[in-house]
Amino acid sequence: MSRANGDTASETSPLLPTTVTSDLEGPNLRHDNQGSFNGETIEVAEMKKVTHNDPSLATEAEDFKNLLGSTRFLYNNVRADEMSQTLRRQTVDDFRGIGRTKHVDGEISSSNRLSMIYHQQRDHAMLYLEKVKTSFFQDAKSLAEGTIPQSVVLALVIGVVCGVACWLYYSILFFFLELLWTTLPDQVVVNSWDEKYYWLWIPLVSTTMITCVGLTVVYMGEPGDLPYTIGRVHAQAFIPMNHVSPMVFSSLFSILAGGSLGPEAPLVAICGALGGFVSRRIFLQKHINVVRKHTLMGMGGALAAFFGVPLGGSLFALEVCSRFGVEYFEHLIEAIFCGEICLVVFRSLSGLPIQPIWDLTAISGRMMSTTPMHVLLGAVIGLYGAFWATVFARFHWKVMAMFGKLNLLDNQRAVYRGWLGGFFVILMAVLVPHTAFWGEEEIQIVATMSPAKDLPNIWPTTGLLGFEMNSPFHAFIVGICKLIAISFTVSGGLRGGYIFPLMCSGAAFGRLLYYVLPESVPMQLAVLCTAAGMNVAITRTSLATTLILAFLPGEPVAIPAILMASICSLFATSYMPFIKSQITRSDIDHSLFHEEHHISVGLVLEEEHQDDH
């Protein structure tokens, strides 16, 4: 993937990551496929390490610096050359009795130099702690990288910038939604077309917008998607700005087409790119982990503003980067603070209140209390949701394989790809109008099985057949058709997020399940736990999903059951990664869920491992 002009990080900084992307490799840290660094060969020994960053790194002998973490290597205020000088002054016995120090013309071999750096990082934590100043005002004077004052200032700036960006995106999106799906039908179609042909408005508008998506990809370039965004956060710590314009246009056209994807993923990519840009270009940050923190601030701010749930939205941005929990935990507080700022700016500009948007009390009334049995039932319902998510994942992989066999995944064929995917998306919308659009507002209609005339975006609301969701079988139809629509929307190259679409499908399957549950089980428990199970199985966001699905319907008492559903779904689908770029940090302990990577780095570390025991 090409990067925007000016997005290449400075080659002179010793703190930049060494990755397979050539323009990120510093001049003094190069690697090849034979396990050599700067022309020196590392001795052979086998050491377990987790895979990190770009998956292609798993096949190469990486710079030891990269193996120590997704965050930058902790120099502990001691540069590698200083460590090397220290090592020259030590004897063989001083260096932990290893007995294999090799001097070549007064120099230390690469193997032992890396070993010394490793021990400095592990054993002298106080050197790192000395970097922290003792006064807030002392740090505020310089805004030194990574300090609390700098985080506060960056959170304020990024929060405001991303809040304005979200407002502009929101304003444009809903202006054209109103124009294409309400104003024009009233002015052009009604009283001009025969009523039996009203349904043709759906394929007319959708096909036009889908064509625009394809043309955007062909002429403006690859917009990226959620997996791409996550991959850049891991590998580069920022999202290139040259993807912002294509993402804005392609995602707007995709949503206006009625595709089953929402604005959440585009806003994550856009605001994440803006956060990284502010960090690198305005505040001139160079430490990779500091830049990554600011990128995650932008991502968290976007979701906090979009969902109206600052804690859940910010958590989502960090959780979605990994397959099992929040692995970039050191950035959590700053991301949440930035989410609060972004939420205030966006909601103030848009005039939107911060309040629940669904009312699921029509059947059971609001949940005033819960029971241990409800929590245990949440576990079962979560597994039920995970089952449907697994069905969706397997179906989607087959659909993507079909598109690949047809050679439609090449961006130059984006228009044809969009037409094929759009055919099925439009078919679902015409037959079952509940499946159109991303589902944020449609969930209210699906969960309560309200009349189709109340659907908020699609026109005509009854489609071709006058479909109504008024029976268990029709609830099943809505759930299945929504999953088909999501799959072909993604496969067709349309851009957007599938958080709300999955929740909408989960609401339909939850209503189906409600028919077989005892009357003592509240309807919202079945709906919310199923939605949580499905969303967590695909996005791996158990904590954030719980908070979002408890706040949006105004059902805080349901949190224990929703959380149980989310965690059980996370466990059950841990070996079914849907977003391939979700990977494990290489500096996370091996007790966590991860993939192992074997690499030759020298017998030194093997002996040290034995010494520790």
Side-chain angles (χ1 to χ4, degrees), residues 233-252:
V233 169
H234 286 303
Q236 294 177 314
F238 65 90
I239 303 161
M241 286 295 292
N242 62 342
H243 291 278
V244 171
S245 295
M247 175 57 81
V248 169
F249 284 95
S250 62
S251 62
L252 286 174

Side-chain angles (χ1 to χ4, degrees), residues 137-383:
F137 297 101
Q138 186 178 0
D139 275 340
K141 292 178 181 178
S142 61
L143 288 183
E145 286 184 313
T147 60
I148 293 176
Q150 188 206 50
S151 294
V152 172
V153 172
L154 265 294
L156 290 170
V157 174
I158 294 172
V160 171
V161 170
C162 293
V164 173
C166 290
W167 172 68
L168 290 173
Y169 188 97
Y170 170 88
S171 301
I172 295 171
L173 173 61
F174 279 88
F175 171 81
F176 283 103
L177 271 176
E178 180 74 16
L179 176 66
L180 292 175
W181 294 99
T182 301
T183 304
L184 287 181
D186 288 342
Q187 295 180 354
V188 176
V189 179
V190 176
N191 299 325
S192 298
W193 293 17
D194 191 319
E195 187 173 352
K196 65 181 179 181
Y197 297 124
Y198 281 2
W199 67 273
L200 291 173
W201 184 255
I202 298 174
L204 175 64
V205 175
S206 295
T207 302
T208 303
M209 293 297 104
I210 289 170
T211 303
C212 290
V213 174
L215 294 175
T216 298
V217 174
V218 171
Y219 292 105
M220 294 188 68
E222 170 61 46
D225 50 18
L226 182 60
Y228 173 80
T229 298
I230 294 171
R232 293 309 91 204
V233 169
H234 286 303
Q236 294 177 314
F238 65 90
I239 303 161
M241 286 295 292
N242 62 342
H243 291 278
V244 171
S245 295
M247 175 57 81
V248 169
F249 284 95
S250 62
S251 62
L252 286 174
F253 289 137
S254 299
I255 297 169
L256 293 173
S260 286
L261 293 176
E264 58 271 28
L267 287 175
V268 165
I270 294 166
C271 292
L274 290 174
F277 179 83
V278 168
S279 176
R280 295 178 301 112
R281 296 303 172 208
I282 298 179
F283 287 86
L284 304 178
Q285 302 302 290
K286 298 187 182 301
H287 292 73
I288 184 173
N289 202 36
V290 174
V291 174
R292 181 180 286 113
K293 172 169 63 179
H294 300 151
T295 299
L296 290 170
M297 281 183 181
M299 295 168 61
L303 290 176
F306 178 71
F307 291 124
V309 188
L311 181 56
S314 301
L315 266 174
F316 200 106
L318 275 74
E319 273 193 292
V320 78
C321 292
S322 306
R323 295 181 184 176
F324 206 84
V326 181
E327 293 190 4
Y328 289 119
F329 47 82
E330 70 269 33
H331 305 318
L332 183 59
I333 299 301
E334 293 100 324
I336 293 172
F337 178 60
C338 184
E340 291 275 17
I341 301 301
C342 190
L343 172 71
V344 169
V345 173
F346 170 69
R347 296 282 168 155
S348 298
L349 292 174
S350 62
L352 293 174
I354 305 173
Q355 64 182 22
I357 60 175
W358 307 323
D359 182 5
L360 308 183
T361 61
I363 296 178
S364 304
R366 192 166 304 282
M367 293 181 63
M368 303 307 296
S369 64
T370 189
T371 66
M373 186 57 65
H374 287 162
V375 177
L376 295 177
L377 183 60
V380 177
I381 299 176
L383 295 176

